[in-house]
């Protein structure tokens, strides 16, 4: 069992699978899309999946604050201390709306600014990843007829040759291209959502540069799986990415396995550098 500081993250596998099933049911029925104040899309599936996860956490981990994307968008953000959950019920909503498979359900436990356990589930792919950083245990499994199959241990690979980069389908920028060139990344895998972290954790890729802003609930679960598999995620200046920042805002980062990462900040221009009090 993947146990992190007294909380067994695996008790959330069932609710995560339920939330994923709900997203598929909404998609099959045809789901309407709204645009939030930050111009990102949201659907009834986001809200329904989040409700499942919040109810489960309230039952299984009472007293631990939960910061969830749609709750935060509605202005309902609890006070957090050293320990709290980050929940993204449907990461990759744009991919979801256009009928793609690269969307995920994400739950992470954060302790003293670092993700210590996380689950990433890709419902349309039937794949789930789980990681416990303290124990250094990370695994993935396929879902068959509602049942998780054999667990496969995850470990980042040692990158001795040309690194393979995993990049966003919708957020490639000149800064990303410049960083990839300077890092010698000639091969690239394009995938959406937190699946980018999962590919590195499983040794299918080496680096994921993201100079643009994200929110902490976008990254925490995948980051936890990656760290548990031996990888790391660094902020713009090359220090470990931390959590519980103001507004739960990530200015930029590089996630990597065994590949030494160049800092991203030198590749940002004045007009593309994120501006936020948390930078």
């Amino acid at each position: 069992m993947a146990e992190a500081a007294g909380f067994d993250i695996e008790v959330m596998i069932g609710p995560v699978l339920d939330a994923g099933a709900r997203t598929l049911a909404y998609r099959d029925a045809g789901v309407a899309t709204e645009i939030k104040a930050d111009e990102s899309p949201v659907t009834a599936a986001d809200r329904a999946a989040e409700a499942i996860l919040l109810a489960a956490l309230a039952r299984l981990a009472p007293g631990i604050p939960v910061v969830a994307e749609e709750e935060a968008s509605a202005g309902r953000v609890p006070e957090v201390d050293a320990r709290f959950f980050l929940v993204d019920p449907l990461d990759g909503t744009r991919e979801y709306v256009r009928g793609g498979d690269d969307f995920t359900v994400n739950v992470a436990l954060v302790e003293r600014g670092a993700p210590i356990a996380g689950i990433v589930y890709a419902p349309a792919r039937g794949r789930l990843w789980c990681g416990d950083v303290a124990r250094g245990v990370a695994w993935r499994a396929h879902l068959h007829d509602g049942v998780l199959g054999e667990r496969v241990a995850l470990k980042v690979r040692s990158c001795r040759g040309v690194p393979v980069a995993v990049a966003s389908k919708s957020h490639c920028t000149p800064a990303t291209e410049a960083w990839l060139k300077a890092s010698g990344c000639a091969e690239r895998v394009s995938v959406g959502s937190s699946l980018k972290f999962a590919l590195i954790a499983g040794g299918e890729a080496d680096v994921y540069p993201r100079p643009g802003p994200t929110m902490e609930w976008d990254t925490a679960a995948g980051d936890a799986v990656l760290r548990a598999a031996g990888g790391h995620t660094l902020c713009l200046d090359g220090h470990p990415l931390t959590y519980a920042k103001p507004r739960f805002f990530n200015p930029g980062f590089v996630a990597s396995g065994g590949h030494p990462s160049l800092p991203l900040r030198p590749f940002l221009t004045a007009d593309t550098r994120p501006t936020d009090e948390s930078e």
Side-chain angles (χ1 to χ4, degrees):
M1 301 289 284
E3 207 165 320
F7 179 80
D8 180 3
I9 193 65
E10 292 192 17
V11 301
M12 284 300 297
I13 290 176
V16 165
L17 295 178
D18 290 344
R22 186 64 60 88
T23 66
L24 293 177
Y26 271 92
R27 190 176 70 166
D28 291 345
V31 62
T33 306
E34 302 170 24
I35 301 299
K36 296 188 287 190
D38 64 359
E39 299 186 354
S40 64
V42 63
T43 69
D46 296 75
R47 298 188 177 106
E50 184 165 294
I52 291 171
L53 300 172
L54 291 177
L57 288 170
R59 182 178 73 255
L60 299 169
I64 301 179
V66 182
V67 177
E69 180 178 14
E70 303 315 325
E71 284 287 288
S73 294
R76 295 185 290 269
V77 182
E79 291 291 327
V80 300
D81 47 28
R83 189 186 225 201
F84 67 99
F85 289 101
L86 280 164
V87 169
D88 189 344
L90 206 171
D91 184 34
T93 302
R94 288 185 176 87
E95 177 77 2
Y96 172 80
V97 169
R98 61 178 171 247
D101 292 345
D102 292 356
F103 61 92
T104 56
V105 178
N106 302 268
V107 176
L109 179 61
V110 174
E111 181 95 37
R112 294 182 178 86
I116 61 169
I119 297 173
V120 173
Y121 175 47
R125 295 180 175 221
R127 297 183 74 186
L128 182 141
W129 294 261
C130 186
D132 181 309
V133 179
R135 295 181 60 223
V137 173
W139 54 269
R140 69 168 180 262
H142 282 273
L143 191 70
H144 302 282
D145 298 323
V147 178
L148 281 178
E150 180 183 358
R151 298 182 179 189
V152 177
L154 300 176
K155 196 70 178 175
V156 299
R157 66 187 180 191
S158 176
C159 182
R160 293 191 173 92
V162 177
V164 175
V166 58
S168 172
K169 287 185 173 180
S170 56
H171 294 98
C172 201
T173 66
T176 303
E177 295 296 337
W179 187 94
L180 291 171
K181 182 177 180 181
S183 299
C185 297
E187 186 177 345
R188 187 180 316 185
V189 178
S190 182
V191 70
S193 73
S194 54
L195 289 170
K196 294 183 281 293
F197 290 95
L199 292 183
I200 300 171
E204 299 174 64
D206 302 295
V207 292
Y208 162 32
R210 177 61 188 260
T214 57
M215 302 304 290
E216 292 183 4
W217 47 74
D218 296 320
T219 62
D223 192 1
V225 173
L226 175 60
R227 296 189 195 201
H232 56 267
T233 304
L234 306 178
C235 68
L236 293 176
D237 291 324
H239 302 295
L241 184 67
T242 60
Y243 290 76
K245 299 184 294 299
R247 292 180 48 235
F248 304 98
F249 178 87
N250 293 323
F253 60 85
V254 177
S256 64
H259 178 68
S261 302
L262 295 174
L264 263 170
R265 187 177 294 280
F267 298 89
L268 301 180
T269 60
D271 59 338
T272 60
R273 189 172 295 118
T275 56
D276 189 89
E277 64 268 34
S278 62
E279 185 182 358

